[in-house]
Amino acid sequence: MDHLAGYLKEAVLKELQGCQLRAADGVSLYTPDGMGNYPALWTRDFAYMAEYAGELMEPEHIRQCLCCTLDHARESDGWIPDRVDTAGTAVYSAGSPEAPCGEPNLDNGPFAVITAYFLCRYLDAGNGKQFLERYASPLYRGLTCIPKGEGGLVYNPPEKPHSPYGFTDCICKTGLLMKESLLYWRACRMLAELFARHNIRPEWAKELSRQAGSIEDSLEKTFGTENGMLLAATKDCRQTDVWGSCYALAVGFPLTEQRKASMVRWLLENRDGILQNGQLRHTAPGEFWEKCLLPVPEGEYQNGAYWATAAGWYAEAVAGEDLASACRVLEDACRYFETYGIFECVNGDYRKLPHYVVSAANVYGAIKKLL
């Protein structure tokens, strides 16, 4: 593992350097890949870079990119952009601006907050407070504008759906949503902590803590299944969410001990059907999403391909029960990277988009934790 950690650190550094594009105002925007396929600063991809590989980035670059995102918060409703391109144009929904993939993504606000939280780890107290004082309102509005339903869970109306979590932005998950609620819960806890630490907006910190508590009370009973895992949604795509379940365990969402044990057991028992070369599919073995916002062939992209983005969550989820299996997943992912390259997703001979930054960064984050 030490060799792989060293290799991966160098690989992540290379991808971070190769993905930067210069914006019209001179800011270096960190794009999702080093091929120019996604030529913009994507809010969620950048959040993953800052969380899992932030020590390999310039703190000023993180600050400038986050300011770029927050400066484009939509004045009418507070919505945070999905991405900002090099010309300074903000786009709020997945897909092309001419043909958006549903209403604005439901994870834009949470990922902006997550980036802010990790940025503040690299700023001294004075600069952190200054940043938060300037951007408290767009962070709070961009988070709390997201639609909620029963139990404070994130809600996606079936009649006019938003594009959900960005790594499933082609998938029509509707009703109450699990992964998106986890992201919202985590962002509420993080922003409340930042406000409290710097004595900013105590009433907002209190409200965020209240909303996070509501999600803690309702998520497991809403999405828990008999097979032990968590569902993706309550209406369209009411299916086992492998990524979301792994994420819940990896970030420490408060579940009952029985639920956590059953989830880990399911993940270990089904590893051969959900993992390929250390990379993880979104759905249960043999399953594909029931409804898409855009056509996605079965076995490709977000509908059955395998992604390194979520491999680290799987490893962290099972490490307490089976550390050898957790390490094996990360080793398999690194060996695949060394042999074939770092792709957005794969499935056998199908490989989509090389030099995909968070595939490496997210695995790197897990290796650091488990070493």
Side-chain angles (χ1 to χ4, degrees), residues 89-118:
T89 301
V91 180
Y92 297 86
S93 301
S96 69
E98 300 77 23
C101 187
E103 296 298 301
N105 288 68
L106 293 168
D107 62 351
N108 299 341
F111 276 119
V113 170
I114 290 169
T115 306
Y117 183 84
F118 286 98

Side-chain angles (χ1 to χ4, degrees), residues 150-164:
E150 185 178 352
L153 299 165
V154 172
Y155 178 72
N156 199 15
E159 64 278 5
K160 193 178 182 183
H162 289 259
S163 190

Side-chain angles (χ1 to χ4, degrees), residues 46 62-71 112 115-116 119 131:
F46 188 67
I62 301 175
R63 190 194 67 79
Q64 288 177 346
C65 285
L66 182 54
C67 289
C68 176
T69 297
L70 296 174
D71 286 342
T115 306
L119 167 64
F131 171 83

